Amino acid sequence: RKEVEQDPGPFNVPEGATVAFNCTYSNSASQSFFWYRQDCRKEPKLLMSVYSSGNEDGRFTAQLNRASQYISLLIRDSKLSDSATYLCVVFIYGGSQGNLIFGKGTKLSVKP
Amino acid sequence: EPEVTQTPSHQVTQMGQEVILRCVPISNHLYFYWYRQILGQKVEFLVSFYNNEISEKSEIFDDQFSVERPDGSNFTLKIRSTKLEDSAMYFCASREAQGSGELFFGEGSRLTVL
Protein backbone atom coordinates (compact mmCIF):
# COMPACT_ATOMS: atom_id res chain seq x y z
CA ARG A 1 0.00 0.00 0.00
CA LYS A 2 1.43 3.36 -1.02
CA GLU A 3 2.20 5.63 1.90
CA VAL A 4 1.08 8.84 0.22
CA GLU A 5 -1.27 8.69 -2.73
CA GLN A 6 -2.19 11.44 -5.14
CA ASP A 7 -3.99 11.69 -8.43
CA PRO A 8 -1.11 12.14 -10.89
CA GLY A 9 -3.14 14.33 -13.25
CA PRO A 10 -2.37 16.17 -15.35
CA PHE A 11 -4.89 18.84 -14.52
CA ASN A 12 -5.19 21.20 -17.49
CA VAL A 13 -7.09 24.33 -16.51
CA PRO A 14 -7.57 27.83 -17.94
CA GLU A 15 -6.21 30.88 -16.18
CA GLY A 16 -8.53 32.02 -13.43
CA ALA A 17 -9.92 28.57 -12.74
CA THR A 18 -10.17 27.00 -9.31
CA VAL A 19 -8.52 23.63 -8.98
CA ALA A 20 -8.41 21.14 -6.11
CA PHE A 21 -5.92 18.40 -5.37
CA ASN A 22 -6.47 15.52 -3.00
CA CYS A 23 -4.11 13.26 -1.16
CA THR A 24 -4.45 10.31 1.21
CA TYR A 25 -1.84 8.89 3.53
CA SER A 26 -1.68 5.46 5.06
CA ASN A 27 0.47 5.90 8.16
CA SER A 28 -1.63 7.11 11.05
CA ALA A 29 1.60 8.04 12.87
CA SER A 30 2.14 10.84 10.37
CA GLN A 31 2.66 13.97 12.36
CA SER A 32 2.92 16.92 10.04
CA PHE A 33 1.70 17.60 6.58
CA PHE A 34 2.83 19.80 3.75
CA TRP A 35 2.31 20.73 0.17
CA TYR A 36 5.49 21.18 -1.83
CA ARG A 37 5.76 22.49 -5.33
CA GLN A 38 8.23 21.10 -7.85
CA ASP A 39 8.98 22.71 -11.17
CA CYS A 40 10.30 20.55 -13.99
CA ARG A 41 13.78 19.19 -13.12
CA LYS A 42 14.04 21.43 -10.05
CA GLU A 43 14.10 20.76 -6.34
CA PRO A 44 10.92 20.55 -4.26
CA LYS A 45 10.04 23.80 -2.52
CA LEU A 46 7.71 24.19 0.40
CA LEU A 47 4.40 25.74 -0.63
CA MET A 48 2.61 25.54 2.70
CA SER A 49 2.14 23.51 5.83
CA VAL A 50 -1.25 21.93 6.45
CA TYR A 51 -3.00 22.27 9.79
CA SER A 52 -6.01 20.45 11.17
CA SER A 53 -7.96 23.68 11.37
CA GLY A 54 -7.30 24.39 7.71
CA ASN A 55 -5.13 27.25 6.59
CA GLU A 56 -4.99 29.76 3.80
CA ASP A 57 -2.15 31.59 2.12
CA GLY A 58 -3.40 34.00 -0.48
CA ARG A 59 -4.99 31.98 -3.27
CA PHE A 60 -4.01 28.68 -1.67
CA THR A 61 -6.09 26.82 0.93
CA ALA A 62 -5.01 23.58 2.56
CA GLN A 63 -7.14 21.24 4.62
CA LEU A 64 -6.38 18.19 6.71
CA ASN A 65 -8.76 15.50 7.92
CA ARG A 66 -6.86 13.27 10.32
CA ALA A 67 -9.76 10.88 10.82
CA SER A 68 -9.95 10.18 7.08
CA GLN A 69 -6.18 10.60 6.59
CA TYR A 70 -6.92 13.02 3.80
CA ILE A 71 -5.25 16.26 2.73
CA SER A 72 -6.38 18.75 0.14
CA LEU A 73 -5.08 21.83 -1.65
CA LEU A 74 -7.29 24.38 -3.33
CA ILE A 75 -5.89 26.95 -5.73
CA ARG A 76 -8.17 29.84 -6.62
CA ASP A 77 -7.77 32.20 -9.57
CA SER A 78 -4.98 30.07 -11.01
CA LYS A 79 -2.09 31.80 -12.79
CA LEU A 80 0.18 30.60 -15.57
CA SER A 81 2.98 30.57 -13.01
CA ASP A 82 1.10 28.00 -10.93
CA SER A 83 1.96 25.36 -13.55
CA ALA A 84 4.05 22.80 -11.69
CA THR A 85 3.81 19.46 -9.93
CA TYR A 86 2.29 19.64 -6.47
CA LEU A 87 3.65 17.16 -3.97
CA CYS A 88 1.71 15.98 -0.95
CA VAL A 89 4.21 15.31 1.82
CA VAL A 90 3.90 13.85 5.31
CA PHE A 91 6.45 13.99 8.08
CA ILE A 92 6.80 10.80 10.09
CA TYR A 93 8.80 11.04 13.26
CA GLY A 94 10.66 7.79 13.71
CA GLY A 95 13.89 7.05 15.46
CA SER A 96 15.79 10.18 16.34
CA GLN A 97 14.95 12.38 13.45
CA GLY A 98 12.01 11.54 11.26
CA ASN A 99 11.77 12.23 7.59
CA LEU A 100 9.47 13.37 4.83
CA ILE A 101 7.51 10.90 2.74
CA PHE A 102 6.50 12.24 -0.65
CA GLY A 103 3.56 11.47 -2.85
CA LYS A 104 4.26 11.11 -6.52
CA GLY A 105 2.77 14.51 -7.24
CA THR A 106 -0.09 15.99 -9.20
CA LYS A 107 0.82 17.86 -12.34
CA LEU A 108 -0.96 21.14 -12.99
CA SER A 109 -0.88 22.96 -16.28
CA VAL A 110 -2.53 26.38 -16.43
CA LYS A 111 -3.26 27.58 -19.94
CA PRO A 112 -3.90 31.14 -21.15
CA GLU B 1 19.06 33.99 1.78
CA PRO B 2 21.01 30.94 3.00
CA GLU B 3 20.71 27.92 0.78
CA VAL B 4 21.77 24.32 0.43
CA THR B 5 24.32 23.96 -2.35
CA GLN B 6 25.12 20.81 -4.25
CA THR B 7 27.89 19.82 -6.62
CA PRO B 8 28.17 18.67 -9.30
CA SER B 9 24.95 19.73 -10.93
CA HIS B 10 25.31 16.89 -13.42
CA GLN B 11 27.63 13.92 -13.48
CA VAL B 12 27.92 11.26 -16.16
CA THR B 13 29.71 8.08 -15.20
CA GLN B 14 30.32 4.57 -16.42
CA MET B 15 28.62 1.66 -14.69
CA GLY B 16 30.80 0.28 -11.90
CA GLN B 17 32.53 3.60 -11.17
CA GLU B 18 32.47 5.33 -7.82
CA VAL B 19 30.66 8.63 -7.53
CA ILE B 20 30.72 11.23 -4.77
CA LEU B 21 27.98 13.84 -4.60
CA ARG B 22 28.66 16.84 -2.41
CA CYS B 23 26.37 19.04 -0.42
CA VAL B 24 26.91 22.08 1.78
CA PRO B 25 23.91 22.38 4.09
CA ILE B 26 22.77 25.66 5.58
CA SER B 27 25.34 26.57 8.22
CA ASN B 28 23.25 26.44 11.41
CA HIS B 29 21.33 23.33 10.39
CA LEU B 30 21.85 20.12 12.31
CA TYR B 31 19.85 17.50 10.44
CA PHE B 32 20.79 16.34 6.98
CA TYR B 33 19.13 14.18 4.38
CA TRP B 34 19.63 12.65 0.97
CA TYR B 35 16.69 11.97 -1.29
CA ARG B 36 16.63 10.75 -4.86
CA GLN B 37 14.16 11.10 -7.71
CA ILE B 38 14.29 8.83 -10.71
CA LEU B 39 12.98 10.62 -13.79
CA GLY B 40 9.20 10.63 -13.73
CA GLN B 41 9.03 9.01 -10.31
CA LYS B 42 8.45 10.32 -6.80
CA VAL B 43 11.03 11.78 -4.46
CA GLU B 44 12.36 8.90 -2.32
CA PHE B 45 14.07 9.07 1.04
CA LEU B 46 17.57 7.58 1.19
CA VAL B 47 19.15 8.52 4.49
CA SER B 48 19.08 10.95 7.38
CA PHE B 49 22.10 12.07 9.38
CA TYR B 50 22.55 13.80 12.71
CA ASN B 51 25.40 14.24 15.11
CA ASN B 52 27.85 12.57 12.74
CA GLU B 53 25.91 9.39 12.35
CA ILE B 54 23.12 7.91 10.30
CA SER B 55 19.74 8.26 12.00
CA GLU B 56 17.67 6.32 9.56
CA LYS B 57 18.02 4.78 6.11
CA SER B 58 15.67 3.30 3.57
CA GLU B 59 15.93 -0.06 1.84
CA ILE B 60 17.33 1.77 -1.17
CA PHE B 61 20.38 2.78 0.87
CA ASP B 62 22.26 -0.51 0.61
CA ASP B 63 25.94 -1.30 1.10
CA GLN B 64 26.82 0.52 -2.11
CA PHE B 65 25.87 3.82 -0.49
CA SER B 66 27.62 5.73 2.26
CA VAL B 67 27.42 9.21 3.71
CA GLU B 68 30.00 11.32 5.43
CA ARG B 69 30.45 14.73 6.94
CA PRO B 70 34.22 14.92 6.70
CA ASP B 71 34.91 18.51 7.70
CA GLY B 72 31.88 19.94 9.47
CA SER B 73 30.79 21.67 6.30
CA ASN B 74 30.37 19.21 3.46
CA PHE B 75 27.89 16.34 3.56
CA THR B 76 28.69 13.74 0.94
CA LEU B 77 26.90 10.80 -0.62
CA LYS B 78 29.13 8.12 -2.09
CA ILE B 79 27.97 5.39 -4.42
CA ARG B 80 30.70 2.77 -4.53
CA SER B 81 29.94 0.92 -7.74
CA THR B 82 27.25 2.61 -9.77
CA LYS B 83 24.51 0.71 -11.56
CA LEU B 84 22.32 1.84 -14.42
CA GLU B 85 19.38 2.13 -12.05
CA ASP B 86 21.25 4.64 -9.91
CA SER B 87 20.61 7.22 -12.61
CA ALA B 88 18.47 9.85 -10.89
CA MET B 89 18.41 13.33 -9.42
CA TYR B 90 19.89 13.31 -5.93
CA PHE B 91 18.67 16.00 -3.56
CA CYS B 92 20.38 17.00 -0.37
CA ALA B 93 18.27 18.66 2.31
CA SER B 94 18.84 20.12 5.73
CA ARG B 95 16.77 21.20 8.68
CA GLU B 96 17.54 23.44 11.59
CA ALA B 97 15.90 21.88 14.55
CA GLN B 98 14.21 18.83 15.91
CA GLY B 99 10.57 18.25 15.11
CA SER B 100 8.92 18.80 11.79
CA GLY B 101 10.50 22.04 10.72
CA GLU B 102 10.86 22.89 7.07
CA LEU B 103 13.37 20.94 5.03
CA PHE B 104 15.42 23.07 2.68
CA PHE B 105 16.47 21.30 -0.49
CA GLY B 106 19.46 21.86 -2.69
CA GLU B 107 19.02 22.15 -6.45
CA GLY B 108 20.03 18.55 -6.90
CA SER B 109 22.77 16.60 -8.61
CA ARG B 110 21.76 14.73 -11.72
CA LEU B 111 23.59 11.41 -12.02
CA THR B 112 23.60 9.59 -15.33
CA VAL B 113 25.10 6.08 -15.34
CA LEU B 114 25.97 4.69 -18.76
Side-chain angles (χ1 to χ4, degrees):
Chain A
R1 187 179 174 189
K2 295 179 185 173
E3 291 198 70
V4 180
E5 284 204 66
Q6 298 181 246
D7 181 342
F11 283 59
N12 298 307
V13 303
E15 263 186 299
T18 295
V19 61
F21 303 139
N22 303 319
C23 168
T24 56
Y25 60 95
S26 60
N27 191 331
S28 58
S30 302
Q31 292 191 303
S32 304
F33 309 90
F34 308 91
W35 284 100
Y36 275 70
R37 171 194 168 126
Q38 187 174 30
D39 292 288
C40 189
R41 295 179 180 258
K42 297 286 190 181
E43 77 275 23
K45 289 187 177 176
L46 179 65
L47 179 67
M48 60 195 301
S49 301
V50 188
Y51 305 115
S52 297
S53 53
N55 49 299
E56 192 172 303
D57 183 2
R59 298 181 292 108
F60 298 85
T61 301
Q63 298 252 317
L64 165 66
N65 184 321
R66 282 188 186 265
S68 305
Q69 295 183 191
Y70 171 90
I71 306 162
S72 66
L73 177 69
L74 184 77
I75 305 176
R76 287 182 300 278
D77 188 25
S78 51
K79 313 287 185 195
L80 296 177
S81 56
D82 293 335
S83 297
T85 297
Y86 290 82
L87 309 175
C88 178
V89 185
V90 305
F91 179 88
I92 298 177
Y93 191 73
S96 61
Q97 190 164 335
N99 72 80
L100 297 180
I101 305 297
F102 286 78
K104 198 171 175 183
T106 299
K107 187 171 181 180
L108 172 66
S109 181
V110 181
K111 307 289 187 187
Chain B
E1 186 180 326
E3 57 183 19
V4 176
T5 56
Q6 289 186 242
T7 54
S9 56
H10 189 192
Q11 178 152 0
V12 181
T13 190
Q14 294 288 329
M15 193 169 56
Q17 295 298 302
E18 177 183 283
V19 159
I20 297 176
L21 305 178
R22 291 184 168 79
C23 170
V24 179
I26 295 173
S27 62
N28 63 332
H29 285 192
L30 301 176
Y31 300 87
F32 313 116
Y33 301 80
W34 282 101
Y35 287 82
R36 82 168 185 192
Q37 187 175 31
I38 295 170
L39 188 64
Q41 301 297 314
K42 67 177 182 179
V43 177
E44 299 175 290
F45 168 72
L46 291 178
V47 66
S48 57
F49 192 88
Y50 169 71
N51 201 25
N52 283 320
E53 59 183 24
I54 290 173
S55 304
E56 193 177 343
K57 57 185 180 180
S58 71
E59 60 271 15
I60 302 169
F61 194 88
D62 62 21
D63 292 343
Q64 292 300 314
F65 290 88
S66 62
V67 288
E68 211 176 27
R69 189 162 158 79
D71 56 11
S73 172
N74 289 286
F75 176 51
T76 61
L77 174 70
K78 183 194 288 187
I79 308 174
R80 239 177 297 280
S81 177
T82 49
K83 304 188 283 289
L84 295 176
E85 54 265 36
D86 293 328
S87 295
M89 184 74 103
Y90 288 81
F91 292 109
C92 175
S94 69
R95 179 160 64 84
E96 182 177 7
Q98 221 172 20
S100 55
E102 179 181 353
L103 243 63
F104 291 82
F105 284 84
E107 291 188 341
S109 292
R110 179 168 297 284
L111 175 64
T112 301
V113 183
L114 301 176

